[in-house]
Amino acid sequence: DLVREGVDLALRGQARLDDSSLVAVPLMDLPRVVCASPAFWREHGSPEHPLDLQRLPCLPYLLGQDALRWTFEGDGGSHVVDVRGPFRANNSLMLIDAMERGVGVGLVPRVMVHGALTQGRLVQALAAWRTEPRRLFAVFPSREHLPARVRALVDFLKVQLPAAQG
């Protein structure tokens, strides 16, 4: 609760924000990718279709609206996959660490695993399929009496984050 806790600004990565009295400024899109470690793909095989994920241990991000049901869009239409696995977390960094250790398959924002993908610690699968993207929002209690430091930070992030993405 930003107001009760006296927080000036929070960053939230979600598909959409629930209706609230908070102000939400979109900062950047967060397209997500399905990935796992190279060792995991060698042991279990890489999925060729989203429904193949049903046979694999997946690592749900519990704070997402689609934690246990991942939706994919592609030339083959739309598919909803019920996922399950040995590990769940409400922290993306913990999931990425588990993915790198070969625990299972994750669906995470590309920007968070860019380095791991580039360095070969993770390998993407199902690249031809799209998932519902997330957006990064700056969230604050009110535009009224907005501290100059908050406005400056939001303006800075609106420019820098999309530029860093690509």
Side-chain angles (χ1 to χ4, degrees), residues 60-123:
Y61 174 67
L62 294 178
L63 296 181
Q65 291 97 336
D66 61 351
L68 302 174
R69 302 192 88 199
W70 297 350
T71 302
F72 294 87
E73 301 281 337
D75 290 341
S78 177
H79 298 279
V80 177
V81 180
D82 292 320
V83 296
R84 56 188 166 72
F87 181 73
R88 301 173 183 187
N90 63 3
N91 181 301
S92 296
L93 297 177
M94 288 180 69
L95 289 178
I96 292 166
D97 183 63
M99 290 163 43
E100 288 183 9
R101 293 172 186 269
V103 175
V105 180
L107 174 61
V108 293
R110 176 186 301 281
V111 69
M112 294 188 76
V113 292
H114 175 77
L117 291 168
T118 301
Q119 296 167 8
R121 297 190 319 268
L122 293 175
V123 176

Side-chain angles (χ1 to χ4, degrees), residues 6-98:
V7 174
D8 290 332
L9 173 76
L11 299 178
R12 296 203 176 135
Q14 295 177 243
R16 58 199 161 278
L17 292 175
D18 297 329
D19 290 338
S20 75
S21 60
L22 300 176
V23 176
V25 176
L27 298 174
M28 68 186 281
D29 288 335
L30 298 172
R32 297 182 300 161
V33 295
V34 171
C35 51
S37 71
F40 180 89
W41 293 137
R42 279 192 301 276
E43 181 179 341
H44 297 277
S46 183
E48 295 182 19
H49 190 278
L51 295 177
D52 293 341
L53 293 171
Q54 292 174 328
R55 67 172 174 78
L56 298 172
C58 294
L59 307 176
Y61 174 67
L62 294 178
L63 296 181
Q65 291 97 336
D66 61 351
L68 302 174
R69 302 192 88 199
W70 297 350
T71 302
F72 294 87
E73 301 281 337
D75 290 341
S78 177
H79 298 279
V80 177
V81 180
D82 292 320
V83 296
R84 56 188 166 72
F87 181 73
R88 301 173 183 187
N90 63 3
N91 181 301
S92 296
L93 297 177
M94 288 180 69
L95 289 178
I96 292 166
D97 183 63

